[in-house]
Amino acid sequence: MQSFRTEIENPIVEKDILELERKIQLFKDGKIDEERFRSLRLARGVYGQRQFGVQMIRIKLPYGKVTSEQLHRISDVSDEYSRGRLHITTRQDIQIHHVSLDRTPELWAQLEKDDITLREACGNAVRNITASETAGIDVNEPFDVSPYADATFKFFLRNPICQEMGRKFKMSFSGTDDDTAISFIHDLGFIAKVKTENGVTKKGFKVLLGGGLGSQPRHADVIYDFLDEDVLIPTIEGVLRIFDRFGERAKRAKARLKFLVKELGVEAFLQLVSKEVNALENKTFKVDTTEFEKPILFQEIAIPSVKIEDEKAYEKWKETNVIKQKQEGLFAIGIKVHLGDFYTPKARLLADLVKKYAANEIRLTLRQNILVRHVKEELIPFFYIELQKLGFAKAGYNSTADITACPGTDTCNLGISSSTGIAVELEKVLEEEYPAYLNNKEIAIKISGCMNACGQHNMAHIGFQGMSIKVGNLQAPALQILIGGGILGDGKGRFSDKLVKIPSKKGPESLRVLLNDVAKNQQEKETFLEYYDRQGKTYFYDLLKKLSDTSDLVPSDFIDWGHSENYVKAIGVGECAGVVIDLIATLLFESEEKITNSEEALKEDLFSDSIYHSYTSLINTAKALLIAENVKTNTQAGIITSFQEHFIATDKVSLETNFEDFVYQIKKEAPTKIFAESYLNDAKAFYKKIDAYRKKAVSNV
C-alpha cells in the first residue's frame, strides 16, 4: 500500500486515495458504520458483488473515450487485482470483478497514472457522462458534443454540490436527432442543436429533464428547445442543487429525480432552479473545445499488404461494421463485443493496433461494444484481418443479433435470473436460424436480470426481464417479455409493454414465435413498431400466452441458463459484515469533516465549494439532532423546516434568526470570499452549539 503514496502527482487525487485507505481501516475497526462506509466506497467506484468478500470495481470513462495507454493500464490492473476480464457497461464504463477491498486504494492509484478515475463511478453522485459514440465523426452532427460531455464530467467531479445526493444522477449527450445517447431516459439529456440569429450560427442543446428507467420508467420532459452552450454548466448546477436539497433520501425507491419532478411539476421545479442563479459562481461557462479541434495525428507507417480469403464475409462485415466519418477518407470500425466482455490479452493487442494504425482512440458504446475511430480507407482490409485474429471481426455491429445484457446473477447482488445465459441462447437462435437479422438495425433486444433495468430492457423493441416463477414447491427461473419500446429521435421515445412471464428455458422459443409472426404478417415498408401498434398489445399477449404454461416443465427447466444446479432465488445478498455504531455520532463526525473541507477550499479561493461544504455541515449537524428525536429526515429542505419546528421554535436551541434564514443564506448571497468566511464561521459556531447540546443530552440519560 505504500507504493502509491509518492507516485500520484495530483495532490487532490492522492488525498482521495489515502482517504479511501483510511476509511477502509476505520470500517474494519468498527469505527464507522456499514451504511456510511458503503456510501463512501460506492462514490469511489467500489461495489459489493454477489460473491462474498470481493468487490466489483467500476472504472469511470467519460463518454467512453479510451486511449491505447489507458487500455493497457486497465488491462494491467485487471491482471494484477482481478481475473483479466473487462466488462463494458451500458454507461460506457469498464467493470472488473473479484477484487479484494483492501487492495482497492492501490488499484486506484495504478489507474491514475494514466488519468483514469474511479471517483463517483457508483453511489449517489453524478455517474459517468455518456455520449453518442460517433460524436466528433458523425456526418450528420451539427457539432461535436464530446468537449461538452468532457467539461461536464470535469466540472462536477468532486464538486461539493453532488457528493451525497439522495440518489444517483445520470446525464447524456446525443450528437444528432437520432438521439443515440437516449436522452429521454436520463435525469438530464442533451441533444446538439444549432440556430442562426442575425447571420450568426449559435451552438446549443435541446434539454430534457427527469427521465429514468427502473421499475417505474418515466419519459423526460423537454425543458428547453434550445439552451445556449454558455449556460449548459450553470443550468446543470442549478438542477443538481435543487435535487440535492429537495430530493427524497429516506425512501430509496422514490429518490430519483424523476419522482421529484413528478411531485413538484416541471414549472415549479424550474422556478426553484431559477432562484439558485445568485448562488452560482459561474453565471455563464464557456466550454473550451480547442483540444477536440486539433488535427487528427497518425504514425507514419506503410500500408501492410493483406489478402482477403473470403470476400463475401469481408463485404458483409464492411456493410454492418464500418461507418463513414465526416472527415474525408476516414472510417470508424465497430467491434461487436459479446455481452460486453473481453479479456486483457486481446485488449492489449487491440490497443497496440489502434495506436499504430489509427489515431490512438476508441470509444466504448452504450450497447457494450467498441468503436475504433479514424481508420484510413486503405487500411480497412488490414484491420479486418487483424481483428479476425482477435475474434473481433464478427458481422452484426449494433444489429438485432447484437444483444445488450447486464451481468445479472453472474455477479450482481440484485440479479434474479441469468441475463447473460439467455442472451447467449438468443444470439445463437438469431445467428443459426435468422441470419438476416445480422444486418437488421431496426430491432434492438435488451435483457436485464431484474427490474432495475441496467440492461435497458423496458425501452427495447423486444425486452426480457429476469424473474422467478413458482411451480409446486419449486421455483424456476423466468423471463418477463416486453415489446414496443424504442428511440424515436429528437428526444422522443417509448417504453415497452409488459406482456407475459414465461420460464427462462422457453425464452428462445418466444423469440422464434415473435420473429416468425413478423415475417408472416408485417407489411412492406412497415417498421417493427408500426407493426406492433397495428396488431396491438393483446395480439402479442395472445401470441405468447401459451409459453407461460408451467404444467409441461421438465427437470432441466428448473436450472437456469449457464448453470448446472437447480435454480435458487437469492436477491440482495449482504455486501459485507459491519458493526452497528452511533449514527448520530457519525453524522457529527462528518459535519466536522465538512467544516475542514470548507476551510481547505477557502484557502484555495474556491469560494463556492467552501460555501457548499459549510451548507452540508449545517444540514448534517441538524440531521443528527432530528434523528435523536426520531424526526423524519427525508430531504434536506425537510431537515431545515423540521429543525426550526422542533428545536428553534421550542427554544431548545437558540439562534439569532430562524433556521431557514440561517441556512438559506446560501441562496441569497453571491459566492464571495466575505460570505464564504462568514458562512464557515456560522457552520463552526452551529456545530459547536449542537455538539455541546448533544453531549449534555447524552450525559443526562
Side-chain angles (χ1 to χ4, degrees), residues 459-476:
M459 53 77 56
H461 298 93
I462 301 173
F464 296 89
Q465 177 191 324
M467 305 189 86
S468 65
I469 193 166
K470 194 166 185 180
V471 184
N473 294 324
L474 297 174
Q475 283 193 324

Side-chain angles (χ1 to χ4, degrees), residues 160-412:
I161 70 168
C162 49
Q163 294 307 297
E164 297 175 1
M165 297 184 292
R167 281 292 266 127
K168 58 192 173 185
F169 195 95
K170 297 180 177 181
M171 290 185 271
S172 74
F173 286 81
S174 287
T176 72
D177 286 355
D178 289 340
D179 197 14
T180 53
I182 329 177
S183 63
F184 72 94
I185 66 169
H186 283 81
D187 295 296
L188 276 172
F190 304 95
I191 304 173
K193 298 285 182 180
V194 290
K195 71 175 183 180
T196 303
E197 290 183 350
N198 300 320
V200 178
T201 300
K202 290 186 173 183
K203 296 179 187 176
F205 298 91
K206 186 174 192 175
V207 185
L208 290 92
L209 171 78
L213 291 177
S215 60
Q216 299 179 59
R218 183 182 189 274
H219 194 297
D221 297 290
V222 176
I223 56 172
Y224 300 107
D225 286 311
F226 186 89
L227 180 75
D228 191 276
E229 59 173 326
D230 289 351
V231 290
L232 170 71
I233 297 295
T235 299
I236 297 171
E237 183 174 355
V239 170
L240 285 168
R241 282 172 175 262
I242 296 306
F243 180 48
D244 193 36
R245 190 172 305 146
F246 292 93
E248 173 67 40
R249 290 171 183 270
K251 300 172 185 173
R252 182 178 174 83
K254 296 287 185 181
R256 289 295 299 273
L257 177 69
K258 62 185 178 182
F259 296 108
L260 180 61
V261 172
K262 183 179 179 182
E263 177 190 344
L264 295 177
V266 175
E267 289 305 315
F269 185 93
L270 293 178
Q271 284 176 9
L272 290 172
V273 172
S274 68
K275 292 176 182 177
E276 293 296 308
V277 171
N278 194 51
L280 304 184
E281 187 171 342
N282 299 283
K283 306 297 189 287
T284 61
F285 187 96
K286 182 67 176 176
V287 173
D288 185 359
T289 61
T290 54
E291 281 297 314
F292 295 82
E293 294 165 351
K294 291 181 177 179
I296 300 166
L297 300 177
F298 299 91
Q299 292 188 23
E300 292 297 326
I301 283 180
I303 299 169
S305 177
V306 296
K307 182 180 180 182
I308 303 295
E309 298 290 345
D310 187 339
E311 284 287 345
K312 186 177 179 181
Y314 171 66
E315 291 300 326
K316 183 178 182 181
W317 171 81
K318 271 184 68 176
E319 185 182 359
T320 62
N321 293 45
V322 177
I323 302 166
K324 183 178 175 58
Q325 295 188 188
K326 68 180 183 181
Q327 293 85 1
E328 188 66 32
L330 296 182
F331 292 78
I333 295 175
I335 297 174
K336 182 183 170 189
V337 182
H338 182 59
L339 300 177
D341 291 334
F342 64 123
Y343 292 82
T344 54
K346 291 182 179 180
R348 289 188 182 91
L349 292 171
L350 177 65
D352 293 340
L353 182 68
V354 168
K355 183 173 184 177
K356 190 172 182 179
Y357 293 102
N360 197 27
E361 181 188 338
I362 64 170
R363 295 278 175 105
L364 308 178
T365 83
L366 284 87
R367 289 185 66 168
Q368 303 174 289
N369 291 318
I370 295 171
L371 188 69
V372 179
R373 297 152 67 93
H374 313 315
V375 177
K376 294 178 180 178
E377 186 171 11
E378 56 269 29
L379 280 170
I380 292 175
F382 169 73
F383 262 86
Y384 175 68
I385 296 297
E386 293 302 306
L387 292 175
Q388 263 192 326
K389 295 174 185 176
L390 299 178
F392 285 164
K394 204 169 186 179
Y397 173 78
N398 278 358
S399 71
T400 305
D402 190 359
I403 295 175
T404 300
C406 71
T409 52
D410 290 358
T411 54
C412 180

Side-chain angles (χ1 to χ4, degrees), residues 458-641:
N458 49 6
M459 53 77 56
H461 298 93
I462 301 173
F464 296 89
Q465 177 191 324
M467 305 189 86
S468 65
I469 193 166
K470 194 166 185 180
V471 184
N473 294 324
L474 297 174
Q475 283 193 324
L479 296 167
Q480 184 175 68
I481 302 175
L482 303 91
I483 305 180
I487 304 167
L488 302 180
D490 198 24
K492 298 182 182 69
R494 44 192 283 175
F495 299 115
S496 317
D497 292 326
K498 297 175 182 177
L499 296 182
V500 296
K501 182 164 74 170
I502 66 172
S504 288
K505 288 298 177 74
K506 295 185 180 182
E509 185 58 25
S510 72
L511 184 60
R512 292 186 186 98
V513 169
L514 282 171
L515 297 183
N516 289 342
D517 179 81
V518 170
K520 182 180 178 181
N521 298 311
Q522 187 177 26
Q523 295 174 358
E524 189 177 355
K525 295 185 179 179
E526 186 176 46
T527 68
F528 176 80
L529 291 179
E530 288 169 345
Y531 176 59
Y532 176 75
D533 290 341
R534 177 168 63 83
Q535 296 284 34
K537 179 180 176 180
T538 302
Y539 172 86
F540 285 93
Y541 169 79
D542 291 338
L543 185 70
L544 296 165
K545 184 180 178 182
K546 60 185 178 183
L547 295 176
S548 64
D549 182 15
T550 59
S551 63
D552 59 348
L553 298 191
V554 296
S556 61
D557 292 328
F558 293 90
I559 301 171
D560 208 351
W561 294 108
H563 294 260
S564 57
E565 297 179 357
N566 270 15
Y567 171 79
V568 177
K569 183 179 179 181
I571 312 169
V573 179
E575 292 182 335
C576 51
V579 180
V580 177
I581 64 171
D582 186 356
L583 177 58
I584 298 162
T586 302
L587 283 166
L588 291 172
F589 171 70
E590 289 182 347
S591 290
E592 279 191 289
E593 287 189 327
K594 301 299 181 189
I595 287 170
T596 301
N597 292 341
S598 179
E599 290 172 333
E600 291 175 353
L602 190 57
K603 289 176 185 175
E604 298 292 328
D605 291 337
L606 300 172
F607 305 135
S608 183
D609 287 5
S610 173
I611 290 163
Y612 213 86
H613 284 306
S614 297
Y615 164 77
T616 310
S617 174
L618 291 170
I619 296 295
N620 273 9
T621 305
K623 182 177 180 179
L625 280 202
L626 290 171
I627 287 175
E629 297 288 328
N630 294 315
V631 178
K632 286 184 177 180
T633 56
N634 294 44
T635 68
Q636 289 183 350
I639 288 168
I640 294 166
T641 302

